[in-house]
Amino acid sequence: MLGGLMQDDFQLTLHHPLHRMRSVHPHAEVITLADGGIVRASYGEIAARVDRLARALGRLGVKPGDRVGTFAWNNQRHFELYMAVPCVGAVLHTLNIRLFAEQLNYIVNHAKDEVIFVDESLVPLLSQLAGTFEGVRHYVVMGDPANLGDGDLSALPGAVGYEELLAGVDDGPFDYPHVDERQAAALCYTSGTTGNPKGVLYSHRSISLHSTASLMTDALGLSRTDKSLVVVPMFHVNAWGIPHASALAGADLLLPDRFLQAEPLATLIEAERPSIMACVPTIYADLLRYADEHGSDLSSIKNAACGGSAVPRELMRAYEERHGVNVFQAWGMTETSPVATYSRPEETGVHDDAYWDARAKQGKPIPWVEARLIDDNGDEVAWDGESTGELEVRGPWIVAHYYSDESGEDRFDDGWLRTGDIAAIDEQAFVQITDRSKDVIKSGGEWISSVELENEVMAHPDVIEAAVIAKPDEKWAERPLCCVVKREGCSLSAEDLIEHLRPRVARWWLPDEFAFVPEVPKTSVGKFDKKVLRAHLQEGTLQGRVRISA
């Protein structure tokens, strides 16, 4: 073999984006929405604070490989931890604040966290759990202790203030240790919808490559001219990698802290004019309703990335036609860092049905991600847009094994990750998720896509949310039951929804029953929690059930 003569030993680590923050883009900003208004800091200022934080971590006894937990919203201090912890060789473990107590207890102890940084507003929640954490030696409270409310610092052993911690160390450049690109940098756990949450351990290399891919036009298309509004939580899959990608590109980073409601988000967008936004469909839907009612100007947003669950076509069309905002679907999961596909159809200038058909799909695999479909017999499925199979993916930022957990080894197939999603891929390589394997409805031997049925129901103007589950049926084995949240004050009936669906889906897909519910339960990351609906159905406690007469 004739070897190349390049600098192949250049390490792809998070030292590089930190270096770029300091030297290439020191005037870019992190902008945080706080109680008292907007807080701004330049990348140059933050890099200096990261140096102080690196020293402070040493004072706390943090060593390479140690897990450092964060229990925090999207804000500047959390971003400083994103950079400092991996750059000293430790592992940033972002704790999902919306998990149940027993799940948080499990992941803190399973990860063996030694230090936890917690936002002041979350101290009351964390203080109730701290007694169950086995190895945590230090707690660092971020913010003003005067705002603790009912929080009890005595329940957090060795608690110290974040700013106090930084004030106690020397200023000036920090001499960061050598870090290998394959060294662990961050740890996230799945939301644990079945069994215990599973840890996904990202490397410096995987984060670096994922961040680089996010700068491509066929993905998020981040550049130094952008301002990124990151609504997706920083405690969930590294906020889809956008903080790291923004640091790499030199894009401004706009962080809403805990103010995730439609009104503060709309006000923030009008004031700061972000060009990129990222969050889940439920937040986009709330923001759309608010903007329609109040005439909010959202037009600065040119690329609104949406993921977590399928994005209703009507939601995307409404944003584009009424507000000039392009909402593009992305698909991924904790195990894929998370972005694996992005839906950016070829722009022809004519937004006809074919264009919206493509926009409604989850998109093409982004560079360095490979995909395939596998049927029940283990054979590959053709990319014809019709045939379906379980979606499997592989690539440099796709998990190879779960962290310290052998129970999930059936998720890996000869170097491929089995996603659990049922999908079709068309001749243009656009992936369309038709269902989760556990959610698909098999009626009379034929498959019904709960995702597609949900999207068609949510196309009705009086429907806010819809989630379809299977209900047992003596004749057909399973039939679809559609749980609907309708717009307040409307007179929407089950019969109205059937008439709405008739021209849109096959006749045998029409639900036999609807349940009008006050809200669809959500998982910790904002997805519809269908297992809760199925449990209510089984227990006979599902509200608002209306059968459709034959």
Side-chain angles (χ1 to χ4, degrees), residues 159-480:
V160 64
Y162 185 92
E163 297 302 328
E164 175 189 351
L165 187 68
L166 265 60
V169 297
D170 294 336
D171 203 353
F174 180 74
D175 185 15
Y176 288 91
H178 170 79
V179 173
D180 187 274
E181 65 178 17
R182 286 177 167 78
Q183 193 167 324
L187 177 63
C188 292
Y189 279 73
T190 63
S191 53
T193 53
T194 55
N196 285 323
K198 301 192 183 305
V200 178
L201 194 59
Y202 310 108
S203 67
H204 281 259
R205 181 175 185 268
S206 72
I207 293 174
S208 298
L209 290 172
H210 183 268
S211 299
T212 303
S214 296
L215 311 189
M216 298 178 182
T217 303
D218 284 335
L220 290 174
L222 256 170
S223 77
R224 62 180 176 80
T225 63
D226 283 309
K227 180 181 285 187
S228 307
L229 172 55
V230 183
V231 183
V232 59
M234 291 175 73
F235 57 71
H236 176 56
V237 205
N238 299 326
W240 297 354
I242 298 175
H244 294 122
S246 296
L248 187 64
D252 289 343
L253 195 56
L254 185 54
L255 303 173
D257 199 79
R258 63 186 183 276
F259 304 103
L260 306 179
Q261 301 77 24
E263 182 176 1
L265 287 177
T267 302
L268 188 62
I269 291 168
E270 289 188 317
E272 295 296 331
R273 311 305 289 159
S275 54
I276 287 176
M277 180 175 173
C279 62
V280 297
T282 50
I283 289 182
Y284 276 120
D286 287 341
L287 179 60
L288 177 65
R289 285 192 290 273
Y290 182 89
D292 285 346
E293 292 171 6
H294 296 84
S296 305
D297 182 3
L298 310 179
S299 61
S300 66
I301 301 171
K302 303 306 179 188
N303 185 356
C306 189
S309 59
V311 186
R313 181 186 313 220
E314 294 307 313
L315 179 68
M316 293 188 285
R317 294 189 75 148
Y319 263 103
E320 183 167 308
E321 293 169 1
R322 301 206 290 267
H323 297 280
V325 174
N326 292 317
V327 178
F328 295 110
Q329 293 206 61
W331 172 85
M333 52 205 308
T334 304
E335 291 89 337
T336 66
S337 294
V339 184
T341 72
Y342 204 83
S343 186
R344 194 187 290 272
E346 182 179 353
E347 186 57 71
T348 63
V350 178
H351 288 192
D352 54 12
D353 288 343
Y355 173 81
W356 285 107
D357 285 345
R359 281 280 291 275
K361 297 179 180 180
Q362 279 64 50
K364 295 188 178 188
I366 62 177
W368 300 114
V369 173
E370 296 181 356
R372 69 179 185 182
L373 302 174
I374 300 297
D375 66 17
D376 292 341
N377 298 319
D379 297 324
E380 284 202 46
V381 174
W383 291 15
D384 57 14
E386 299 291 336
S387 305
T388 61
E390 182 176 8
L391 179 62
E392 297 187 354
V393 293
R394 66 181 180 186
W397 54 80
I398 311 298
V399 69
H401 300 283
Y402 289 117
Y403 171 64
S404 192
D405 188 340
E406 296 181 358
S407 66
E409 286 304 302
D410 60 342
R411 294 289 301 278
F412 305 101
D413 179 11
D414 193 26
W416 294 79
L417 171 70
R418 299 180 57 194
T419 68
D421 282 323
I422 306 301
I425 304 178
D426 66 21
E427 295 87 346
Q428 304 301 317
F430 274 82
V431 176
Q432 182 168 23
I433 306 295
T434 60
D435 229 320
R436 291 289 293 168
S437 58
K438 63 179 181 291
D439 292 335
V440 71
I441 300 165
K442 195 167 188 178
S443 181
E446 299 290 342
W447 297 110
I448 297 174
S449 168
S450 67
V451 171
E452 188 172 343
L453 193 50
E454 287 161 0
N455 284 340
E456 295 298 349
V457 173
M458 284 190 284
H460 192 288
D462 286 334
V463 173
I464 294 176
E465 294 177 343
V468 174
I469 59 174
K471 69 167 189 173
D473 187 270
E474 290 185 4
K475 182 177 181 180
W476 303 109
E478 292 180 341
R479 292 295 298 153

